[in-house]
């Protein structure tokens, strides 16, 4: 796919950019450019595919690929995304290495996941190469926005939306894919402070057959009310459980959860369809195995967590995802019950975090070939 470049008439000045990059925070500032690709359905081909049993085959054509100035997207007020939440997204970072080169991490994992999410939301598939090329060309234009400070990166947000103006309920026949980017500092601030987590008893973010394993805005909308509840009670994040079975641990609103045991195991909830498959999760499981840990993907209940921390067999608990990388979990609050790991030194958590960060930032080598050069 060929992209056109639409030059920016008034990019942010180097001085202003330097000012922003000193303390970018998370998600507040955006680069000069964005990537856009548009899609139109081929309705008769879709009907044929459906008749042949492939009803999720969203036949159509991508076109008008471009790198253009970051700015408002013009949408009809009747666009599908605004009414029926037909949207999926990704999150991936670019890191500046010591020699000035810019790299990202396992971008084809994100490309494939975007397509899995898109399929669940009845959005079209996007060629994996086009996904990665959009990111690459965007970062090439926005190179000056990739910070080089400790813990800093460029957070990249690809997303796909239904744009067709139609209020009937069916998948949009016009869709667009965009990539925007935002310089980022440390997600939870500088130091690695254990966070406190609250179990959500009133709300769920997903359920069997729902969209839990798709990275879609709707899941996040559903997580906002419980997050407000946690904020109001003084907790940092919400833990979602499988309320229909045995209080098995699922994940946080935007991060997977892992447990370290005293006999060198790393346990994380297995993927059941209601949990998002994190690229960070997958990478940490591999790095842990490299370091001689035994990795277990299985159901783990709140009771097992409670007992494990009480008898010392679970020594550390942490959350992981692209935005915050790895965050130790100090306490879990479930009504009056508190599971307290805050006394831990989080030695394994810190080691895994440092291994991952060193790899991503080029400070160590890359034995699995996970880095992808952008510029
Ligand atoms: C994005 C996301 C994660 C983490 O995935 P990464 O690929 O590691 O960033 C975990 N849980 C949910 C619900 C997510 O949306």
């Amino acid at each position: 796919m060929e992209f056109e470049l639409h030059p920016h008439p008034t990019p942010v000045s180097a001085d202003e950019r330097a000012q922003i990059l000193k303390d970018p925070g998370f998600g507040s500032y955006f680069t000069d450019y964005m990537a856009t690709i548009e899609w139109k359905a081929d309705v008769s081909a879709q009907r044929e595919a459906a008749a042949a049993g492939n009803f999720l085959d969203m036949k159509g054509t991508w076109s008008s690929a471009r790198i253009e100035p970051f700015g408002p997207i013009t949408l009809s007020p009747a666009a599908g995304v605004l009414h029926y939440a037909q949207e999926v997204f990704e999150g991936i970072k670019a890191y500046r290495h010591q020699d000035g080169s810019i790299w990202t991490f396992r971008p084809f994992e994100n490309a494939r996941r975007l397509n899995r999410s898109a399929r669940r939301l009845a959005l079209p598939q996007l060629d994996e190469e086009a996904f990665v090329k959009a990111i690459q060309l965007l970062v090439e234009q926005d190179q000056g926005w990739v910070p080089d400070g400790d813990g800093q990166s460029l957070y990249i947000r690809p997303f796909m939306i239904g744009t067709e103006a139609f209020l009937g309920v069916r998948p949009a026949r016009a869709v667009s894919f965009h990539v925007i980017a935002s310089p980022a500092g440390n997600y939870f601030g500088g130091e690695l402070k254990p966070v406190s987590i609250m179990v959500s008893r009133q709300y769920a973010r997903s359920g069997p057959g729902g969209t839990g394993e798709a990275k879609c805005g709707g899941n996040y909308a559903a997580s906002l009310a419980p997050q407000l509840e946690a904020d109001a009670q003084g907790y940092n994040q919400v833990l979602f459980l499988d309320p229909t079975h045995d209080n098995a641990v699922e994940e946080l609103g935007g991060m997977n959860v892992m447990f370290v045991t005293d006999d060198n195991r790393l346990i994380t909830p297995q993927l059941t369809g209601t949990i998002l498959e994190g690229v960070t999760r997958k990478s940490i499981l591999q790095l842990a195995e490299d370091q001689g840990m035994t990795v277990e993907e299985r159901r783990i209940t709140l009771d097992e967590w409670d007992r494990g921390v009480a008898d010392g067999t679970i020594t550390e608990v942490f959350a992981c995802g692209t935005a915050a990388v790895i965050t130790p979990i100090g306490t879990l609050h479930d009504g009056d019950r508190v599971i307290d790991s805050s006394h831990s030194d989080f030695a394994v958590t810190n080691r895994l975090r440092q291994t991952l960060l060193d790899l991503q930032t080029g400070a160590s080598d890359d034995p699995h070939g996970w880095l992808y050069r952008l510029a």
Side-chain angles (χ1 to χ4, degrees), residues 89-91 110 113 205 212 215 220 251-256 276-281 320-323:
F89 68 96
E90 274 302 323
N110 297 81
R113 186 173 65 189
R205 68 173 278 285
K215 203 168 180 73
Y220 278 72
E251 61 172 322
L252 308 188
M255 283 189 277
N256 297 115
L276 197 285
E277 182 177 7
V279 178
T280 317
R281 173 189 182 278
C320 62
T322 297

Side-chain angles (χ1 to χ4, degrees), residues 89-93 95 104-114 116 131 215 251 254-256 258 271 275-287 320-323 325-326 356 360 370-371:
F89 68 96
E90 274 302 323
I92 182 170
K93 281 175 169 174
Y95 310 86
T104 190
F105 185 71
R106 310 188 78 177
F108 287 92
E109 292 288 335
N110 297 81
R112 284 191 284 272
R113 186 173 65 189
L114 180 87
R116 293 198 299 274
F131 175 93
K215 203 168 180 73
E251 61 172 322
M255 283 189 277
N256 297 115
M258 299 202 176
L271 302 171
I275 297 174
L276 197 285
E277 182 177 7
V279 178
T280 317
R281 173 189 182 278
K282 187 172 180 174
S283 305
I284 288 170
L285 294 180
Q286 179 66 55
L287 294 175
C320 62
T322 297
V325 194
I326 290 185
L356 183 60
Q360 289 171 332
W370 286 343
L371 295 186

